[in-house]
Amino acid sequence: MAGNHSDVLPPKSAPLAEHDVDFKGETPASDHLLEEEPERYELREPPAYDFAPTRREFLRWTAAGLFVSAVVSPSQAQRGSTSETSLESRLHIDPTGTITVFSGKVEVGQGARTELAMAAAEELHARLEQVRVRLADTELTPNDGITAGSRTTPATVAAVRRAAAMARQWLVSQAAARWQVDPSEVTISEGWLISGQRKLAFGELAGRPEVGSQVQLTAASQWKVLGKPQARLDATAIVTGTHRYPSDIQRPNMLYGAVLRPPAYQSTLVDVDLAAASKIAGVQIVREGDFIGSVAPTSYAARQAIAAIAATAQWQQKPHPSSSQLPIYLKQHAPKAGTQPRENLRGDVQGALLKAAIRRRAEYFVPYIQHVPMEPRAAVAEWNDDKLTVWTGTQNPFGVRDQLAQALKIPPSRVRVIVPDTGGGFGGKHTGEVAIEAARLAREAGRPVSLRWSRKEEFEWAYFRPAGLFEIEAGLDEKGLLLAWDFCNYNAGLAALESPYRCPNSRTRFLASDSPLREGSYRGIAATANNFARECFLDELAQAARQDSVDFRLAHLENPRLKAVIEAAADSFGWAARKTTSGFAAGTEKGSFVAACAEVDLDSSPLRVVRISMAFECGAILNPSNLRAQVEGSLIQGLGAALTEEIEFEGGKLKNGNFQRYRVPRFRDVPPMQIILLDRKDLPPAGAGETPIIAVAPAIANAVSAATGKPVRRLPVSKS
């Protein structure tokens, strides 16, 4: 295969207790189960623009023009109400005809800003250039819930489309009334209302449409903006370096902060001497219980002060297991105190196993891995009287607002969180620890404070994707069909726990473990782990039944959408003429479907993926360019988890907490990729940011297994 290309085809048919805040999403009992640098030494002048409007500016915008409220129920937003907002806004058309979309979602590289703009332009029959999007400001935007679980497309895009369609219908009715014609005689084109020779710009009408449930969305077959390739609206700013990320935020009279960290996990501060650090010129030391930080005119000086404090600090550490003990540890410490095993039982599993003609049992393991976003955690906090404003990079702006209020013991109404488009998240930025630290430093300093975590801090103190142990047993009948399925997951989480393959007798169980590391959401959450174990074991069963991997899966499937991606991936890869170094995997999660074929080179060192074909279907495609980028990104991130990424720790310390020892994929690691996108315009669009990743590791593992004749039962994959 000569390179990477894509086809779009129709279907064939931790140490945070001192903050006194509950970080929702960091433990197995919460978020991931529900789905699931050079220092800058000088002060710089503030940029000539701001990152968000003031409330006064917002009210000036909305003083005239068309103003549309949110029009979806709270249940359609993930952990947030689309109608919970101080101004109850979703969409505004100002007197100049500029359309502003408001959403509480964030942009972390997944293309939400562009997709939301396209949705509004489509339903208003407007030019994309007329639309701007205001994201993630807890004072100005609706609470659309956390940006996670691939919910922006099915929930928030749907909300924007409904609001824009309602505005369109209202504009037509108002123009018809002004012209005294029937609404059927009024059309909209590129932001103009037209009837015969008469034209009326959007901005010439003003009002507030009544919220109603009856709204006619544009059919996918009639789309003129959606469904077409569209480059990211902020692409120029990103590639030219003019975009300002959370770590770039500047405020007048701002200081820089640093925080004292324990030398190891589960360490308690016993004693410390602050005298030496207090003597450093320009440095102010902040202490609240065990929380110790510094602020200074430069980040270098602030970190110097923390280094001086660390040299005097005495810590008491509790025993902590090593990563080599994890599989045994997770099983021995399950179920976690206060949790109950989750079990789904159908039929008589034990009886069916006893009757099986072929019976197999295996254990699988996935380690902790880190998200390693390009931009580590960062926040700028500013107090004005009793009001706190924080600019930070988070996927959960309203959740962080509430965490700040809880930690600082102030009402949420006195906290404003603004999220500039952020340099990556991958499920790793749901919590507000850096925002809370910056706010505490700023409160004591009496000036705005910028706090940027170092890469070392991001590795050590951000939460990890959960490690998981899997015990699987299955039985086949005389025809080689699944008769019994018993799947037990320790700690990894619930996403994609249930098998999509037909089996009359099955049991699936999940037991949360007392995790030795702080853990939380990740791209695909637990689906990456559950699908790895299931798909690798399916290959073992197919081999035991002397059946082809693809044929074995198709024989156990009823879902036509999963069948379609399996057949598309196999066809594009040339599965029938495959080499013995090829592997296959498939899966479904978040309402979308994926299948992948991979070929590996066992003679290379390290192990190399030669090529990969992936078929993906998520309903109607809103932006083919962005969807392809999402699939490519998932595939590349999945390469790291499959081949190199594993957090190693011993004695309460990370052994590989830097990019020299924790290896993420480089450009040279990326194989030729063939991506087949199945466009189902007859189905509503589903999210695409997560599901593609779940097929990568098992496809590679199954390729290695096919080549070596030995099952691969842990990640990262090894040739031995």
Side-chain angles (χ1 to χ4, degrees), residues 521-589:
S521 290
Y522 182 83
R523 192 176 199 167
I525 321 181
T528 55
N530 283 317
N531 213 61
F532 164 73
R534 178 170 50 247
E535 288 294 301
C536 288
F537 190 58
L538 277 174
D539 256 35
E540 293 192 39
L541 292 175
Q543 185 179 15
R546 300 182 183 277
Q547 295 185 35
D548 173 79
S549 296
V550 172
D551 292 341
F552 184 77
R553 286 168 172 80
L554 291 174
H556 291 91
L557 278 178
E558 296 174 349
N559 190 309
R561 297 174 70 183
L562 188 51
K563 282 185 177 182
V565 293
I566 288 176
E567 291 169 348
D571 288 348
S572 67
F573 186 79
W575 181 257
R578 68 192 179 281
K579 297 181 180 179
T580 56
T581 52
S582 300
F584 186 87
T588 177
E589 175 63 2

Side-chain angles (χ1 to χ4, degrees), residues 414-476:
R414 286 167 46 192
V415 181
R416 179 182 183 183
V417 173
I418 302 170
V419 184
D421 293 3
T422 299
F426 313 111
K429 292 180 178 176
H430 291 182
T431 52
E433 54 275 84
V434 67
I436 293 169
E437 292 169 347
R440 284 187 160 167
L441 295 174
R443 183 169 60 182
E444 294 301 312
R447 291 166 61 178
V449 170
S450 170
L451 180 64
R452 303 190 297 254
W453 279 23
S454 67
R455 181 60 63 185
K456 183 175 187 293
E457 288 175 299
E458 185 74 23
F459 261 110
E460 293 179 346
W461 302 113
Y463 56 82
F464 303 90
R465 184 196 73 176
L469 174 69
F470 303 84
E471 295 176 339
I472 317 177
E473 188 171 9
L476 304 178

Side-chain angles (χ1 to χ4, degrees), residues 615-670:
F616 181 66
E617 188 261 286
C618 58
I621 298 176
L622 300 181
N623 182 353
S625 298
N626 192 65
L627 178 58
R628 183 179 190 275
Q630 287 285 283
V631 175
E632 287 180 342
S634 285
L635 200 156
I636 294 169
Q637 188 171 356
L639 287 175
L643 297 175
T644 59
E645 294 187 48
E646 177 179 13
I647 288 293
E648 300 172 354
F649 55 95
E650 188 172 12
K653 298 182 180 180
L654 288 193
K655 298 170 63 178
N656 60 339
N658 56 58
F659 281 137
Q660 285 71 42
R661 303 194 65 183
Y662 186 92
R663 195 175 185 282
V664 296
R666 273 70 162 173
F667 282 120
R668 63 177 177 270
D669 300 319
V670 180

Side-chain angles (χ1 to χ4, degrees), residues 1 579 581 598-612 639 643-644 663 667-672 700 703-704 717-719:
M1 192 170 299
K579 297 181 180 179
T581 52
E599 181 183 334
V600 298
D601 179 4
L602 294 185
D603 295 329
S604 65
S605 183
L607 174 68
R608 184 173 67 91
V609 179
V610 175
R611 64 185 179 113
I612 193 162
L639 287 175
L643 297 175
T644 59
R663 195 175 185 282
F667 282 120
R668 63 177 177 270
D669 300 319
V670 180
I700 294 170
V704 173
V717 175
S718 166
K719 292 186 287 186

Side-chain angles (χ1 to χ4, degrees), residues 166-178:
M166 184 174 67
R168 166 171 44 85
Q169 291 178 187
W170 185 88
L171 287 165
V172 168
S173 68
Q174 294 301 300
R178 177 176 294 193

Side-chain angles (χ1 to χ4, degrees), residues 231-547:
R232 286 183 51 156
L233 300 181
D234 52 358
T236 300
I238 291 172
V239 300
T240 59
T242 57
H243 173 67
R244 292 294 180 260
Y245 293 91
S247 51
D248 296 320
I249 295 292
Q250 294 283 306
R251 300 298 296 169
N253 205 29
M254 189 176 79
L255 299 173
Y256 294 84
V259 174
L260 178 68
R261 309 291 179 192
Y265 296 120
Q266 295 187 346
S267 295
T268 304
L269 186 64
V270 175
D271 192 24
V272 67
D273 185 353
L274 306 179
S278 300
K279 295 177 182 178
I280 299 176
V283 169
Q284 180 180 346
I285 305 301
V286 176
R287 180 170 187 179
E288 296 180 4
D290 287 347
F291 174 78
I292 298 175
S294 66
V295 293
T298 67
S299 58
Y300 176 72
R303 291 189 181 276
Q304 270 191 318
I306 292 300
I309 295 171
T312 72
Q314 299 177 29
W315 303 86
Q316 182 178 32
Q317 184 187 352
K318 296 179 182 178
H320 195 268
S322 71
S323 50
S324 63
Q325 303 168 324
L326 257 183
I328 296 173
Y329 183 95
L330 293 176
K331 187 170 181 178
Q332 290 178 341
H333 290 77
K336 180 181 179 180
T339 67
Q340 295 293 326
R342 311 281 188 93
E343 180 174 310
N344 186 13
L345 178 64
R346 183 174 65 251
D348 180 6
V349 176
Q350 291 305 313
L353 285 170
L354 292 173
K355 297 176 183 177
I358 299 174
R359 187 171 176 177
R360 291 289 186 273
R361 188 180 187 281
E363 288 189 359
Y364 296 84
F365 173 73
V366 298
Y368 293 105
I369 60 177
Q370 191 51 278
H371 304 78
V372 289
M374 186 68 73
E375 180 185 31
R377 282 162 170 73
V380 171
E382 179 176 296
W383 292 84
N384 288 301
D385 298 324
D386 61 351
K387 177 72 178 290
L388 170 66
T389 301
V390 176
W391 294 259
T392 190
T394 177
Q395 296 172 245
N396 190 12
F398 287 85
V400 169
R401 177 200 63 182
D402 295 342
Q403 291 167 13
L404 283 160
Q406 181 184 354
L408 301 167
K409 298 178 172 57
I410 59 177
S413 60
R414 286 167 46 192
V415 181
R416 179 182 183 183
V417 173
I418 302 170
V419 184
D421 293 3
T422 299
F426 313 111
K429 292 180 178 176
H430 291 182
T431 52
E433 54 275 84
V434 67
I436 293 169
E437 292 169 347
R440 284 187 160 167
L441 295 174
R443 183 169 60 182
E444 294 301 312
R447 291 166 61 178
V449 170
S450 170
L451 180 64
R452 303 190 297 254
W453 279 23
S454 67
R455 181 60 63 185
K456 183 175 187 293
E457 288 175 299
E458 185 74 23
F459 261 110
E460 293 179 346
W461 302 113
Y463 56 82
F464 303 90
R465 184 196 73 176
L469 174 69
F470 303 84
E471 295 176 339
I472 317 177
E473 188 171 9
L476 304 178
D477 64 16
E478 295 81 359
K479 297 180 180 179
L481 295 175
L482 275 170
L483 183 64
W485 177 265
D486 194 0
F487 186 97
C488 184
N489 168 337
Y490 294 94
N491 195 63
L494 292 169
L497 181 68
E498 298 297 330
S499 172
Y501 301 103
R502 182 179 59 253
C503 182
N505 306 284
S506 68
R507 179 175 66 161
T508 53
R509 289 177 294 160
F510 168 73
L511 291 86
S513 301
D514 187 9
S515 172
L517 294 185
R518 183 180 179 222
E519 55 186 23
S521 290
Y522 182 83
R523 192 176 199 167
I525 321 181
T528 55
N530 283 317
N531 213 61
F532 164 73
R534 178 170 50 247
E535 288 294 301
C536 288
F537 190 58
L538 277 174
D539 256 35
E540 293 192 39
L541 292 175
Q543 185 179 15
R546 300 182 183 277
Q547 295 185 35

